[in-house]
């Protein structure tokens, strides 16, 4: 084997040991991080919650793009080998710009799971719960154009729900009341399949299930994102070859609130959270 080829292989092996960077407007992307951890327990993971700027859903695409570039730079300075935009809103606003800026980096984004929902519906009515930013985006319009033909897709923006999850209010009566208001129009329209189109929403899945009953299927994109990430790492020979369980570190710029407590509760284990500016 030539020494250049050997060096190339060596670089790949070294790169595969680097962490995966995951970011969201706040703590919601932890729902995706959990799927990544379950599927690839040997990977080192860094999670960044931009909670001081959450929710992104009501912000302009320019603002979200600026924040996404900032977060990507922050993670790249920590030497990540891949970037996961664990946020539907940021993916719509910024993933194209990120791919343009970092053409050699593995970047995984996400979008509401309209395609599987359309395949699953029996009533021919699909509901989508998401942020205003996602629902207003050109990417979402293209998604509907592509996969939403032949069924009725009823969308519902869930203003205020991200804030409930950011506070860790996953089961409170006010969160339930807010959700009832958002879910009812979908039920009235006879939706039998509802897409959780924001990474914060899986954390209130139990409440949603209580409200919609067992005949309505809820679809979340987290597992598909983790699978897509694994395939991309595999293709680029970037999967970590180790039997050791990887480390997970958390960063947040939240101020005042019980960030550590909320993140630990959502992650399902006591963790310490580093503060970023
Ligand atoms: N968790 C995000 C998403 O998936 C963004 C929520 C927000 O900050 O509005 O869309």
């Amino acid at each position: 084997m030539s020494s250049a080829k050997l060096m190339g292989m060596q670089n790949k092996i070294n790169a595969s040991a680097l962490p995966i960077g995951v970011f969201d407007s706040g703590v919601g992307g932890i729902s995706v991080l959990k799927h990544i951890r379950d599927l690839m327990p040997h990977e080192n993971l860094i999670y960044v919650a931009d909670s001081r700027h959450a929710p992104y859903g009501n912000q302009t695409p320019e603002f979200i793009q600026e924040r996404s570039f900032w977060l990507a730079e922050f993670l790249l300075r920590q030497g990540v080998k891949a970037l996961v935009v664990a946020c539907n809103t940021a993916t719509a606003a910024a993933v194209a710009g990120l791919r343009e800026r970092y053409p050699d980096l593995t970047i995984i984004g996400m979008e509401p799971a309209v395609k599987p929902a359309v395949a699953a519906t029996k009533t021919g009515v699909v509901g989508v719960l998401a942020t205003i930013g996602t629902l207003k985006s050109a990417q979402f319009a293209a998604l509907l154009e592509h996969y939403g033909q032949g069924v009725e897709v009823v969308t519902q923006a869930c203003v205020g729900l991200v804030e409930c999850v950011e506070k860790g209010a996953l089961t409170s009566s006010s969160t339930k009341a807010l959700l009832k208001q958002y879910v009812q129009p979908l039920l009235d329209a006879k939706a039998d399949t509802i897409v959780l189109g924001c990474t914060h929403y899986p954390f209130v899945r139990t409440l949603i299930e209580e409200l919609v009953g067992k005949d309505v299927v809820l679809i979340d994109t987290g597992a598909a994102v983790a699978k897509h990430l694994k395939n991309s790492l595999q293709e680029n020979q970037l999967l970590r070859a180790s039997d050791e369980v990887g480390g997970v570190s958390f960063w947040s710029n939240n101020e005042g609130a019980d960030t550590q407590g909320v993140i630990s509760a959502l992650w399902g284990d006591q963790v310490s959270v580093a503060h970023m500016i």
Side-chain angles (χ1 to χ4, degrees), residues 88 110-116 128 130 134 140 143 195-198 221:
N88 297 267
M110 59 194 296
E111 54 193 14
V114 170
K115 189 184 174 189
V128 179
T134 296
F140 186 70
L143 197 64
V195 176
L196 305 183
C198 166
T221 336

Side-chain angles (χ1 to χ4, degrees), residues 121-126 154 184-193:
T121 180
K122 293 195 172 68
T123 58
V125 185
V126 162
V154 185
Q184 197 56 50
L186 308 185
L187 296 178
D188 292 345
K190 306 258 176 300
D192 64 346
T193 310

